[in-house]
Amino acid sequence: MIDAGQQYWEVKFDKESKAFAVGVALRSLGRFDQLGKSSASWCIHLNNWLQQSLTAKYNNKARTLDCPIPNSIGVYVNYDEGILSFYNAKTKQLMHTFRTKFQQPIIPAFMVWNGSFSVVTGLQVPSVVQSGQRKNSGTSSSNASLT
């Protein structure tokens, strides 16, 4: 459970997965609720059915991301500042940032359909991520921009 401070973890998913999502959720999110379909979760979603697409999802709104699909995704949370950012874990390129005010503790959340994934936790926040957060503090995407 995350209720203060900064956290960073990386998720590697099987490229053959039909669908995959990574993000955070409020503890009230139901076990079988879809990530990004309510105001209780924020995520990056990879659809790999007929054509690959990568989207940021929150509150049943989605924004298609115009970036290459990485082999692994870095997730950065600054709970106190209300920042949730997703990075290409290898290049540390910013893919999307949600800005919000977390009203209660959050937990890491994952979904996979017909595939697998692995999570690496206990990582230090990479310096390029920390400096990128300061540099991009006014330019990142937000919940309001999802359409």
Side-chain angles (χ1 to χ4, degrees), residues 13-20 45-53 69:
F13 55 91
D14 176 6
K15 285 284 202 176
E16 302 304 312
S17 299
K18 295 300 180 191
F20 172 79
H45 181 266
L46 168 66
N47 183 349
N48 202 19
W49 282 94
L50 299 174
Q51 173 176 333
Q52 280 191 334
S53 66
I69 296 173

Side-chain angles (χ1 to χ4, degrees), residues 34-36 55 70-71 95-96 117 137:
Q34 291 184 25
L35 294 179
T55 55
N71 291 329
M95 296 167 37
H96 188 77
F117 67 94
S137 63

Side-chain angles (χ1 to χ4, degrees), residues 56-75:
K57 293 185 173 185
Y58 168 73
N59 204 18
N60 208 27
K61 294 178 182 162
R63 179 182 194 176
T64 301
L65 302 179
D66 186 23
C67 60
I69 296 173
N71 291 329
S72 59
I73 296 173
V75 182

Side-chain angles (χ1 to χ4, degrees), residues 113-134:
W113 181 262
N114 197 26
S116 62
F117 67 94
S118 60
V119 181
V120 180
T121 62
L123 300 172
Q124 293 288 329
V125 177
S127 59
V128 68
V129 169
Q130 285 184 326
S131 64
Q133 287 299 315
R134 287 190 292 274

Side-chain angles (χ1 to χ4, degrees), residues 6 24 41 45 51 65 71 88 96 99 104 117 122 135:
Q6 299 178 61
V24 299
S41 64
H45 181 266
Q51 173 176 333
L65 302 179
N71 291 329
N88 176 319
H96 188 77
R99 294 188 178 280
Q104 53 185 284
F117 67 94
K135 183 174 72 176

